[in-house]
Amino acid sequence: MKLYFSPGASSLAAHIALCESGLTFQPVAAPTKTKKLDDGSDYYDINPLGYVPLLELDDGTRLAEVPAILQYIADQVPAKHLAPANGTASRYRLQGWLTFIGMELHRSFSPLFNPALTDDAKTVFRDRLMGRLRWTEHEFAHKTFLMGESFTVADAYLFTVTNWAPRTGVDLTGFDRLNAFRTRVLARPAVQQAMKAEGLS
């Protein structure tokens, strides 16, 4: 397998999941700014949308979108318990979390990276984001990870998007439970491995 990634982008979640899984894969840098691979080729030839992550399977099949890729990885190694079994209520709760992170958190962070956006517009997105983060903070009142006491691919995704807070002016001061969660995830060897490979540690 090949994982096309850009350091610190949402592809970090898939990178973490792959490291957690123990599956063999080749990370391929596809910087979001240049869209050029190390060999000089154009990433748009691999993914016409130009964004990451993209997971290329050994048979040439390509998967896009963070939630799909994360669930695919988890399903290759069911013994690792990175996702509940398909068809269970717990799996649908995981999908709920992946959707929430993607649609409510990831999507709210994204405009804050846009230098053309006015400060007033960024304030609107930050305010919306802070409300969603406060709700997430409350969800950690009685559990260690999003699904309970076990780490899943949803935790990799939440960790990844909340890493963008310092770069976008989002202040996580006072989010004690969320910050404690982030510390727990950061301490995982697979997370350290992925971050080191992306030059983030």
Side-chain angles (χ1 to χ4, degrees), residues 35-188:
K35 312 297 183 184
K36 295 294 182 185
L37 305 183
D38 286 344
D39 63 5
S41 60
D42 193 336
Y43 180 55
Y44 282 112
D45 292 337
I46 305 293
N47 182 2
L49 291 172
Y51 56 69
V52 292
L54 187 79
L55 187 67
E56 184 174 283
L57 309 186
D58 293 338
D59 66 1
T61 301
R62 291 171 177 163
L63 300 176
E65 307 302 336
V66 178
I69 291 172
L70 290 176
Q71 291 181 84
Y72 175 83
I73 293 167
D75 286 341
Q76 304 316 296
V77 286
K80 296 279 188 175
H81 304 292
L82 294 173
N86 272 307
T88 63
S90 292
R91 181 57 169 260
Y92 295 115
R93 285 200 300 114
L94 176 85
Q95 291 173 350
W97 273 116
L98 292 172
T99 302
F100 173 80
I101 296 165
M103 297 300 292
E104 302 296 336
L105 301 181
H106 186 162
R107 190 172 65 172
S108 295
F109 267 111
S110 293
L112 302 178
F113 288 100
N114 186 347
L117 205 65
T118 67
D119 289 342
D120 286 346
K122 287 185 178 182
T123 296
V124 171
F125 282 106
R126 283 196 191 96
D127 288 348
R128 179 178 185 272
L129 181 56
M130 293 302 280
R132 302 300 190 267
L133 289 171
R134 281 191 289 272
W135 183 83
T136 307
E137 166 83 1
H138 175 74
E139 286 295 296
F140 283 112
H142 302 293
K143 57 188 177 183
T144 303
F145 296 106
L146 289 173
M147 294 291 292
E149 297 308 304
S150 298
F151 177 91
T152 68
V153 292
D155 298 301
Y157 196 11
L158 178 60
F159 174 80
T160 295
V161 298
T162 54
N163 273 350
W164 302 336
R167 296 160 53 195
T168 55
V170 173
D171 187 2
L172 296 182
T173 301
F175 288 84
D176 295 345
R177 295 167 183 156
L178 180 59
N179 286 320
F181 158 82
R182 288 177 39 73
T183 298
R184 287 192 293 275
V185 174
L186 182 60
R188 297 178 70 84

Side-chain angles (χ1 to χ4, degrees), residues 9-31:
S10 61
S11 50
L12 176 61
H15 205 158
I16 290 170
L18 283 165
C19 291
E20 290 277 356
S21 75
L23 295 168
T24 300
F25 72 101
Q26 175 189 352
V28 180

